[in-house]
Amino acid sequence: MGCFLCSVKSKKKQIGKFSAHQISSSVEKFKVNTSLGEKDSSRNGGSGHIAAHTFTFRELAAATKYFRADCLLGEGGFGRVYKGQLERTNQVVAIKQLDRNGLQGNREFLVEVLMLSLLHHPHLVNLIGYCADGDQRLLVYEFMPLGSLEDHLHELSPDKRRLDWNTRMKIAAGAAKGLEYLHDKANPPVIYRDLKCSNILLDEDYNPKLSDFGLAKLGPVGDKTHVSTRVMGTYGYCAPEYAMTGQLTLKFDVYSFGVVLLEIITGRRAIDTSRAAGEQNLVAWARPLFKDRRKFSQMADPELQGQYPVRGLYQALAVAAMCVQEQPNMRPLIADVVTALNYLASQKYNSGTQPVQRHHTGPSTPRTRRDL
C-alpha cells in the first residue's frame, strides 16, 4: 500500500490534474488494499465508512459568500479556511481552500481525502466532502464552533473564557483517544505526524477533534519497526530521533502529544522566541524541572490562578515527562496515556471545596499580553 502513496508523491503533473472521479477511485483502491479503519470499528466509536460528498467550486463559493473576508476563519501553510453554509442542506461547515501553487498542497489534499474518508471516530474531525474542479482544491469539514486549542491557550481573546483545569484534562484525554484510534484501531496503524494545538479543534462542549491529516503516514506493519520519510512536521513538536534520521514510528506521535500536554498544563508555547534564551523551547525548559517535585507548582499555567489539584498536576506532569523522553522506547504506548488521562479527567476539581494553590513563579520571563 505504501507504493500507492509513493506514486502519488512522484507524479507532480498527474496530481495537479486529479479529478473528483479519480480521487473517488483512489479512495476505493486505498480501502481495498489497506482495509484502513475497519479493525474493531464496532468497539471504538467508529461509524463505518462514510463516503465523502463531491462539491462543485460554484457550490462552495456560494457557501462562503464568494470567499468574503468576514467568512475567513484562519490561514495556515496550505491555504485559507472559511466558514460557510451549504445551500443544499443549510449545514454550517468549514471550507479549506488549498493554495494552488506547488505540489505539496495537492499531495496533502489527496492524503487527507484518503485518510478521512476511511477513518471515523468521535475525536477525529469529520470530512464532509471535497472539490476538485479544474485546479481548485477544497476540503469541507464539520464546523467546530470553539476553534482550536491554540485559540484558548495562546491567543485568548476577550470573548473567550480561560480554560479551567477540568476542561484542560478533558481536552487532553480526548486528544489522546483520537491518537489511540489511529495507532491501535486503524489497520494498518496511522502515524498522525502533525499533532499540535492548532490542529486540535473544539466543539461547543470543548470536546476535542484532531484535524489536518495531510502529513499522516501508514505506520510499520509486520516485522518492520519504522517507516522512512522525508523529515516534515512543526518545529517544537518533532521527536528528536525523527529529526535526526527520518525514521518514523508511532512513538513520534507520543512525543508530540507530550509537548501538547505540557502546553495544556503550563500555558506556554512549544517554541516561544519572546521568552528568555533558556525558556524558548518548552521541553528543554521543563526537563530540569521534572527532576524536582518542589518546582512542579512553577510549571502550572498562571492563568489557572492556583485552581488545580496538586496531585492531579503532579500526575499530569509525570505523563508529559514520560511522553517527551528522548529515547522512543522509553515513551509509553498511547493506550497507557489514555488510561492515565481518563483517570485525571474523571477527578473533577471543585474550586469551592478544594484549596487554591499558591503559584511560585521563580526566575522566569513574565508573560506578555500576546502570550495570554
Side-chain angles (χ1 to χ4, degrees):
M1 186 56 248
C3 294
F4 172 67
L5 288 179
C6 290
S7 70
V8 169
K9 267 187 187 179
S10 63
K11 297 180 182 177
K12 181 175 181 179
K13 293 182 179 179
Q14 181 180 348
I15 291 174
K17 296 179 180 178
F18 265 5
S19 66
H21 174 72
Q22 288 172 310
I23 292 171
S24 179
S25 298
S26 296
V27 171
E28 288 306 310
K29 181 178 179 182
F30 193 70
K31 175 179 174 181
V32 168
N33 288 343
T34 65
S35 71
L36 185 60
E38 293 182 351
K39 181 181 177 182
D40 297 332
S41 63
S42 62
R43 291 190 284 132
N44 60 51
S47 55
H49 296 132
I50 303 172
H53 297 287
T54 56
F55 294 94
T56 65
F57 180 71
R58 185 186 298 272
E59 284 180 286
L60 300 185
T64 58
K65 301 176 184 176
Y66 296 91
F67 305 101
R68 262 182 17 190
D70 60 350
C71 293
L72 184 65
L73 294 173
E75 186 170 4
F78 300 102
R80 295 180 175 181
V81 181
Y82 295 86
K83 183 179 180 180
Q85 186 169 7
L86 300 175
E87 290 184 350
R88 64 168 90 167
T89 62
N90 289 324
Q91 183 179 3
V92 177
V93 294
I95 298 173
K96 179 161 68 175
Q97 184 179 34
L98 274 69
D99 187 346
R100 286 179 287 172
N101 299 321
L103 166 64
Q104 186 62 48
N106 281 310
R107 181 164 69 243
E108 291 205 350
F109 172 83
L110 180 57
V111 172
E112 184 128 8
V113 172
L114 290 172
M115 292 292 181
L116 288 183
S117 293
L118 303 172
L119 295 170
H120 300 283
H121 187 268
H123 292 294
L124 303 186
V125 72
N126 182 35
L127 178 71
I128 295 170
Y130 57 89
C131 168
D133 268 359
D135 59 356
Q136 294 286 348
R137 296 290 179 272
L138 299 99
L139 293 161
V140 183
Y141 306 95
E142 63 179 314
F143 177 68
M144 301 293 283
L146 295 186
S148 72
L149 176 58
E150 182 176 51
D151 297 334
H152 296 264
L153 279 181
H154 306 315
E155 298 177 3
L156 192 64
S157 60
D159 62 324
K160 291 188 176 75
R161 71 173 178 87
R162 63 182 177 85
L163 295 175
D164 59 31
W165 178 261
N166 295 335
T167 304
R168 293 178 194 227
M169 291 302 99
K170 174 182 179 177
I171 292 170
K177 289 174 188 174
L179 270 189
E180 182 188 29
Y181 170 75
L182 296 176
H183 287 189
D184 297 345
K185 305 301 194 294
N187 182 28
V190 172
I191 303 173
Y192 181 29
R193 207 168 45 147
D194 205 16
L195 183 63
K196 53 187 176 182
C197 288
S198 60
N199 282 346
I200 299 175
L201 304 183
L202 305 173
D203 71 10
E204 62 276 4
D205 294 320
Y206 291 90
N207 294 304
K209 297 195 179 191
L210 307 185
S211 70
D212 203 340
F213 282 73
L215 295 184
K217 295 284 291 185
L218 298 182
V221 294
D223 58 357
K224 293 183 179 179
T225 59
H226 64 271
V227 293
S228 296
T229 73
R230 183 161 59 94
V231 175
M232 297 181 69
T234 303
Y235 181 55
Y237 296 92
C238 284
E241 75 281 358
Y242 174 65
M244 289 186 293
T245 68
Q247 294 183 352
L248 192 62
T249 71
L250 297 174
K251 293 299 182 72
F252 173 96
D253 283 343
V254 174
Y255 181 92
S256 299
F257 181 83
V259 178
V260 168
L261 182 56
L262 273 178
E263 291 186 86
I264 290 172
I265 297 167
T266 67
R268 291 170 173 250
R269 296 176 185 271
I271 300 292
D272 189 347
T273 55
S274 70
R275 293 188 180 272
E279 299 185 14
Q280 293 182 3
N281 184 297
L282 176 57
V283 173
W285 168 79
R287 278 201 171 118
L289 299 177
F290 286 146
K291 300 175 183 177
D292 188 349
R293 287 169 64 100
R294 293 172 299 178
K295 295 181 179 179
F296 281 8
S297 63
Q298 296 180 24
M299 303 176 74
D301 186 353
E303 283 296 294
L304 287 168
Q305 299 178 358
Q307 295 184 346
Y308 58 83
V310 172
R311 186 175 180 183
L313 173 69
Y314 288 7
Q315 291 172 334
L317 285 171
V319 173
M322 289 188 291
C323 290
V324 297
Q325 293 270 13
E326 288 194 0
Q327 297 300 321
N329 62 340
M330 297 296 291
R331 297 172 205 149
L333 297 172
I334 194 62
D336 295 329
V337 174
V338 168
T339 300
L341 290 177
N342 276 343
Y343 172 77
L344 288 177
S346 71
Q347 304 298 298
K348 302 299 183 184
Y349 174 79
N350 186 335
S351 59
T353 60
Q354 293 175 267
V356 173
Q357 311 305 321
R358 290 188 177 184
H359 181 71
H360 304 288
T361 56
S364 63
T365 304
R367 300 179 74 190
T368 65
R369 182 172 297 275
R370 186 176 64 82
D371 293 326
L372 300 180

